[in-house]
Amino acid sequence: MCGIIGYTGSANAVPKITKGLEVLEYRGYDSVGIAARTSDGVTTVKCRGRIGSLEEKLERNPIENCTCAIGHTRWATHGGPSDVNAHPHRAGRVVLVHNGIIENYKVLKEEMMKKEVTFLSETDTEVAAAVLNDCYAETGDPMTAIRQATAKMKGSYAFGILFDEFPGEVWAVRTGSPLILAKGQDGYYLASDMTALLPFTKEYYCLEEGQLAHLTPTSAVLYGSDENPKVPDWSITAMTPESAQKGGFKHFMLKEIFEQPEAIMKSVSPRIVDGLPNFSADGITADFWRQVKNIQIVACGSAMHAGLVGGRLLEEIAGVPTSSYIASEFRYHPPLAVDGTLVVVISQSGETADTLAALRYAKESGLPTVSIVNAVGTTIAREADRCVYTYAGPEIAVATTKGYCTQVSVLYMMAAAIAHATGRIDDTEARDLARSIAEDAPKAVLDMLERSEELRQMSARLAAREHIFYIGRGLDYAMSQEGALKLKEISYIHCEAYAAGELKHGTISLIEEGTPVIAITTEAALYDKTESNVREVRSRGAYVIMLCREDAPNPETSADEVIYLPTKSTAASLFAAMTAVQMLAYETADRLDLDVDRPRNLAKSVTVE
Ligand code: F6R
């Protein structure tokens, strides 16, 4: 999704902006641009396509003596990808870049057109620029103009703004879309994403909702709803520039799959005290868990799939009725809350618009909320009553792997904590469960990764097909849904997940000679039933790859290929299967020579509803 980078200081701004734009590439974009302030005014260079095209333009017409600039990567929403729709946009004496969506842009555009304003692009952003310029023309004061203009806008926005009359100064404001300030040795920065700031500095501040920032080469000042200026309360990020680089791996996705053992350990170990599951460091006491009678998990995409797996674990281990909802649907048929309902929202980026809207809806409904978030200081992390961070580190590949896997590990630990707090399991059982999550899970991921070549061989058959099915029961059905999403989103092969017992109620008619069916059977108690479903599809021509426990009775007689999973604990088999489906997806897409890290049409952080 769109990305913003800005700088003002004593150094050459253009290389900084292009560097920041390169880092933002992973978010997904289709056009790119820069507005650079020089002694001659503001020069804008922008184009459809990749940063390489922008750099070629900049090489042909270099921008000299520039120490203040803003840049943008655009993921098209209003108007297709084109040079003219690319940001920055100018209106009168204002130049700006924008993330988010101005929902009432049509009304505002009509108002502006009545004032004889003409528009070059189809974007809502150019309309925002025109409204801001209109207010600026009346007041001559950037801050008042920004306040007046944003008061007219509905929707979500993060703006980086230059005003012609204020050389070397950058203004920023956000509502709904994230924006981070940073303080470097040689000036001040602005970005929509922490990773874009890592090449320059570690000192950062996340703008709050509605907050306005004014950056000069030597200062950063914040303005809230009152007039009183504030100095940012800077924090230091633990991320390093290396954490956002490939580190010798062919793709970020592969690197991130290999980072999973460490990410699981980092995410669960702060939640174990004296060997027992314990979330007190997150401000969640055993007493809080004891009040929980019902859990509603809300998230999007893979995070929702993590919720499906987590929901099973919460019900089985903690005995708490749990439902998982797609965030964009949550508001349209609000689930019935009972006394003791807890809403858990899950988001790797912490900024997903649908998840944020659902969180706000839950809070407005008076329900207690806990978020599970990876990106520190983000809106969902801040707005939930309590936040449990996953410590996966920056996730660059659009398709999540370590984000998902750490979400599951934290939910697993939550199930153990609730079960222990309510006395459903005793100390010994709780210790064993916590140990299995903290030790068996990372080990199982590592062991599966040692079998990468085996999985690569299997992917040859997948890469050659147009349709693939995942099947499973219970926990395995929940995991199948993530397996299918991972495979289809990066390989562009149609892949569906089915509850194993449901195929014969219609979908089995799609099985033909050679259709790959991947069956997951981590649950020993459900093996026989899923194995019968495997036989049903195989006798209709399916080519079956079965993921099953090492102690499964003769799986080779039922499936064409078998991936054995460890039996040491449920955590071990679950995380081994998770890694196998991620690797199958990765290897299939890589075999097809696709842009694994940046699949078409997708964006990393989906900040529009
Ligand atoms: C798929 C994927 C998406 C995200 C979804 C939610 O690989 O990454 O489905 O899981 O967009 O994103 P977050 O977790 O950032 O809220």
Side-chain angles (χ1 to χ4, degrees):
M1 205 125 279
C2 305
I4 291 176
I5 175 82
Y7 169 75
T8 180
S10 55
N12 186 355
V14 178
K16 285 183 185 286
I17 299 297
T18 48
K19 177 74 200 160
L21 292 173
E22 273 166 25
V23 179
L24 288 169
E25 277 198 297
Y26 80 96
R27 296 172 65 95
Y29 72 110
D30 42 51
S31 51
V32 56
I34 175 171
R37 178 78 205 204
T38 68
S39 49
D40 297 332
V42 177
T43 304
T44 300
V45 183
K46 55 186 188 170
C47 57
R48 179 190 171 148
R50 299 280 172 186
I51 287 162
S53 316
L54 179 76
E55 283 172 334
E56 278 169 24
K57 277 192 164 189
L58 288 170
E59 263 168 39
R60 282 198 298 275
N61 296 297
I63 298 172
E64 312 279 354
N65 302 323
C66 165
T67 55
C68 171
I70 49 177
H72 191 261
T73 49
R74 173 175 188 255
W75 187 78
T77 55
H78 295 61
S82 68
D83 289 4
V84 76
N85 286 337
H87 300 204
H89 286 279
R90 173 180 274 282
R93 292 180 289 149
V94 170
V95 179
L96 57 76
V97 290
H98 165 222
N99 281 6
I101 285 188
I102 308 300
E103 287 168 3
N104 59 337
Y105 83 103
K106 281 191 187 147
V107 179
L108 295 174
K109 191 170 188 173
E110 276 164 25
E111 273 176 30
M112 288 297 112
M113 284 166 87
K114 280 186 199 144
K115 293 187 175 187
E116 314 270 294
V117 177
T118 51
F119 290 93
L120 301 172
S121 77
E122 300 154 86
T123 62
D124 53 339
T125 304
E126 194 184 0
V127 177
V131 173
L132 179 57
N133 181 58
D134 190 53
C135 297
Y136 181 54
E138 275 179 27
T139 63
D141 172 44
M143 204 157 65
T144 313
I146 293 172
R147 284 230 169 90
Q148 288 179 352
T150 50
K152 296 180 188 206
M153 296 175 200
K154 291 199 182 115
S156 63
Y157 50 78
F159 290 119
I161 312 163
L162 304 179
F163 292 89
D164 279 352
E165 284 72 22
F166 293 84
E169 300 181 28
V170 181
W171 274 263
V173 65
R174 66 152 290 193
T175 288
S177 296
L179 215 42
I180 305 169
L181 307 182
K183 182 181 171 192
Q185 301 263 319
D186 52 7
Y188 289 87
Y189 299 80
L190 168 74
S192 52
D193 190 318
M194 192 65 224
T195 52
L197 298 166
L198 294 178
F200 314 115
T201 176
K202 294 186 128 215
E203 236 175 317
Y204 75 99
Y205 171 81
C206 295
L207 273 191
E208 288 173 13
E209 279 289 273
Q211 221 170 23
L212 202 151
H214 177 209
L215 305 182
T216 72
T218 54
S219 66
V221 181
L222 305 170
Y223 297 90
S225 45
D226 54 25
E227 292 295 320
N228 299 332
K230 265 189 11 188
V231 176
D233 185 7
W234 303 106
S235 303
I236 305 289
T237 177
M239 293 184 197
T240 59
E242 295 71 42
S243 57
Q245 286 164 6
K246 278 190 209 150
F249 285 89
K250 186 171 178 191
H251 293 104
F252 278 111
M253 181 175 174
L254 189 60
K255 175 184 176 232
E256 287 160 8
I257 294 174
F258 273 78
E259 283 171 345
Q260 291 185 134
E262 195 189 340
I264 299 169
M265 285 190 275
K266 280 189 176 162
S267 299
V268 298
S269 55
R271 280 110 204 179
I272 302 177
V273 178
D274 293 335
L276 290 166
N278 184 321
F279 283 72
S280 51
D282 304 293
I284 305 177
T285 59
D287 201 42
F288 177 90
W289 289 136
R290 279 191 283 273
Q291 315 294 320
V292 176
K293 300 286 173 265
N294 169 284
I295 296 178
Q296 296 176 358
I297 298 180
V298 191
C300 302
S302 295
M304 206 281 290
H305 293 157
L308 291 174
V309 173
R312 292 271 173 186
L313 295 167
L314 283 157
E315 292 197 334
E316 273 169 34
I317 299 168
V320 179
T322 305
S323 313
S324 298
Y325 297 89
I326 294 171
S328 55
E329 291 292 309
F330 188 65
R331 283 175 294 171
Y332 308 127
H333 49 90
L336 296 174
V338 295
D339 219 18
T341 292
L342 172 70
V343 174
V344 175
V345 296
I346 310 175
S347 176
Q348 186 283 125
S349 65
E351 298 291 353
T352 300
D354 288 320
T355 310
L356 178 59
L359 168 65
R360 288 180 176 161
Y361 178 82
K363 288 187 76 180
E364 277 158 24
S365 311
L367 297 171
T369 54
V370 169
S371 61
I372 299 176
V373 171
N374 191 43
V376 177
T378 46
T379 315
I380 294 174
R382 286 203 309 247
E383 289 198 10
D385 300 332
R386 289 172 177 79
C387 176
V388 175
Y389 279 113
T390 52
Y391 296 108
E395 194 177 57
I396 307 294
V398 165
T400 181
T401 50
K402 61 176 181 171
Y404 166 83
C405 139
T406 49
Q407 288 159 357
V408 173
S409 67
V410 162
L411 286 162
Y412 209 150
M413 197 59 85
M414 254 183 204
I418 298 176
H420 184 239
T422 55
R424 196 173 150 94
I425 56 174
D426 62 20
D427 280 7
T428 311
E429 290 166 303
R431 279 209 168 87
D432 192 44
L433 202 49
R435 189 212 48 77
S436 76
I437 305 164
E439 292 174 18
D440 298 353
K443 166 111 180 35
V445 175
L446 263 181
D447 290 348
M448 185 54 71
L449 289 174
E450 279 176 12
R451 290 155 61 188
S452 299
E453 188 47 39
E454 191 188 325
L455 298 163
R456 182 161 183 81
Q457 301 290 337
M458 288 182 192
S459 70
R461 196 169 279 271
L462 305 181
R465 304 298 300 198
E466 280 181 24
H467 306 281
I468 299 172
F469 291 91
Y470 262 97
I471 60 170
R473 286 169 182 261
L475 202 57
D476 297 329
Y477 173 44
M479 239 197 312
S480 294
Q481 297 186 57
E482 177 58 8
L485 176 62
K486 212 82 316 175
L487 186 51
K488 74 179 128 189
E489 69 180 330
I490 59 169
S491 72
Y492 315 145
I493 298 171
H494 168 232
C495 186
E496 270 188 75
Y498 258 83
E502 184 66 9
L503 264 191
K504 58 185 171 297
H505 297 289
T507 308
I508 202 164
S509 66
L510 296 176
I511 301 292
E512 50 189 36
E513 201 54 43
T515 304
V517 173
I518 305 168
I520 309 183
T521 63
T522 63
E523 293 201 74
L526 304 179
Y527 177 81
D528 288 345
K529 288 212 186 306
T530 304
E531 196 260 354
S532 302
N533 303 129
V534 162
R535 288 186 186 278
E536 286 158 14
V537 291
R538 201 155 173 242
S539 61
R540 285 160 180 85
Y543 185 88
V544 178
I545 298 175
M546 197 146 131
L547 282 76
C548 64
R549 294 161 53 94
E550 276 156 1
D551 56 5
N554 301 319
E556 287 94 351
T557 58
S558 323
D560 294 282
E561 298 193 70
V562 178
I563 301 171
Y564 285 103
L565 306 170
T567 49
K568 187 163 188 215
S569 60
T570 305
S573 50
L574 180 73
F575 283 83
M578 192 184 293
T579 309
V581 301
Q582 292 169 341
M583 286 300 284
L584 283 176
Y586 171 77
E587 295 293 359
T588 305
D590 185 42
R591 212 172 252 287
L592 293 167
D593 212 14
L594 294 167
D595 190 350
V596 175
D597 287 333
R598 290 176 301 182
R600 68 185 179 207
N601 304 337
L602 292 177
K604 182 66 185 161
S605 172
V606 185
T607 49
V608 294
E609 284 184 38

